[in-house]
Amino acid sequence: MKEKRISRKRRRQIVLLRNVSLTLALILVLGIILIRVVFINGRTLDVSAGYRIEVHNGAAELSEFRLASAEGFAQSLVACEDEVGKDLVKLSNETEKKLLFNIDQQEAVCAEGIYERIYPASLTKIMTALLCLESGDLERNVVMTEEDFNLGDGAQVSQLDVGDSVSLGDLLNLVLVYSSNDASKAVARTVGGSVDNFVNMMNQKAQSLGMTGTHFANPHGLHEENHYTTLYDIYLMMNYAYKLPGFSEAASKSSTEIHVSPSDGNPYTFIANSTDEYFTGIYSLPQNVTVLASKTGTTDEAGSCLSLVVQSNYGVKYIAVVTGAQNKEDLYTDMSAVLNLINT
């Protein structure tokens, strides 16, 4: 009897050990699956189908895991194919591209040509501004130099002159509100130590944000062949920038007051108006849509471009981008059609 009791006890121990082993194995398997879901798929970022890095950057050697775990790829990013809801809005001409992402729910509402290489024009200044906010002292006084105005014919410049002293914060406002190219160069050399080093900072930041289809060659966006981006990368940049303290405040102004201390006269102020024609009242926003941040861009090669962070009447935030319009009327007509999708 004693031997039978011992035998039953041993059998119970073996069964218990086997159950524990099976439980641990199941936990391990589930853990591996969970890790894959978190680091590869995230909440909405299906990298293999959505980002398609190999399509627009020739980087097919990057694995899904490396791409998804790269710095800057947060779980809250929107992922989609090159075209989503293309027929929801018909653009005015074939050079245009569009994007509308619900960034609160990480959903693509519409997209067209968002991984194709484009010239960004002054949408470049989104990166210039965010680096100014992250790495600059906005109270610092900056003296304008002759090199700041070495921009070529027709470039948009402010009322500043060589020798004028102005705060870095006011230069930031000129960059985002008035799209001033002289202010952009002054920000670059002040924050980066030199314009060339600042451009290196821009490209490093772009990499950290996952902007694999982007290369910056200057801080202002005036045309250069090796200065390019994609609509998806503009989304990544704007999605990061608008969350920085001070960015939306500057990028939602209809005008800005600039305080100047000239080298040979009395201090004065001037008003610079926004280049966004929604803000100036030339064009009207769709009903129940509010702009939280805006950046315009225009060159002959890029066409007319606009990137917005907007909010619906229910507080839902979206990023909208339209590029390549042949004129301002097409740009704002098509952007309004894109924004109208928020109400439907």
Side-chain angles (χ1 to χ4, degrees), residues 33-43 68 75:
I33 293 173
L34 180 60
I35 290 172
R36 179 173 178 81
V37 168
V38 170
F39 288 99
I40 295 182
N41 293 327
R43 279 158 51 194
Q75 293 180 0

Side-chain angles (χ1 to χ4, degrees), residues 79-284:
C80 74
E81 295 294 334
D82 187 60
E83 293 184 355
V84 173
K86 177 181 177 180
D87 295 334
L88 294 175
V89 172
K90 182 174 176 57
L91 298 172
S92 297
N93 62 79
E94 61 183 14
T95 64
E96 289 186 51
K97 296 170 176 57
K98 65 176 182 284
L99 174 154
L100 180 65
F101 285 173
N102 180 328
I103 54 176
D104 283 346
Q105 298 176 1
Q106 296 89 51
E107 293 178 353
V109 180
C110 72
E112 182 176 354
I114 64 172
Y115 299 113
E116 297 176 21
R117 182 177 291 185
I118 62 167
Y119 297 120
S122 287
L123 299 186
T124 299
K125 296 182 176 82
I126 300 169
M127 179 63 77
T128 302
L130 75 85
L131 286 175
C132 179
L133 286 165
E134 286 193 326
S135 303
D137 176 5
L138 299 186
E139 300 299 321
R140 179 177 176 178
N141 284 325
V142 180
V143 178
M144 301 298 291
T145 68
E146 186 172 348
E147 178 58 28
D148 297 330
F149 299 92
N150 185 14
L151 295 160
D153 295 337
Q156 171 119 326
V157 295
S158 68
Q159 295 181 35
L160 296 173
D161 204 350
V162 175
D164 285 348
S165 179
V166 62
S167 72
L168 187 61
D170 275 354
L171 288 175
L172 173 68
N173 284 322
L174 283 172
V175 167
L176 287 176
V177 178
Y178 190 65
S179 202
S180 173
N181 294 303
D182 53 316
S184 298
K185 288 190 72 174
V187 166
R189 65 175 173 80
T190 302
V191 175
S194 69
V195 172
D196 287 343
N197 188 58
F198 187 82
V199 171
N200 288 334
M201 292 170 62
M202 294 172 72
N203 285 311
Q204 290 170 8
K205 190 66 179 182
Q207 289 181 2
S208 77
L209 297 177
M211 297 169 60
T212 55
T214 295
H215 181 265
F216 293 116
N218 61 61
H220 41 66
L222 294 175
H223 183 69
E224 294 188 47
E225 285 296 324
N226 64 336
H227 187 92
Y228 53 81
T229 189
T230 68
L231 264 73
Y232 189 82
D233 285 2
I234 293 169
Y235 148 69
L236 291 174
M237 179 169 59
M238 193 65 148
N239 185 59
Y240 181 86
Y242 94 94
K243 299 172 186 175
L244 295 175
F247 184 90
S248 290
E249 179 183 356
S252 60
K253 291 181 176 181
S254 60
S255 65
T256 184
E257 188 175 83
I258 306 301
H259 307 272
V260 186
S261 295
S263 59
D264 56 354
N266 296 321
Y268 70 95
T269 63
F270 68 87
I271 303 296
N273 293 319
S274 175
T275 55
D276 186 328
E277 295 186 357
Y278 283 134
F279 289 155
T280 58
I282 296 176
Y283 294 94
S284 299

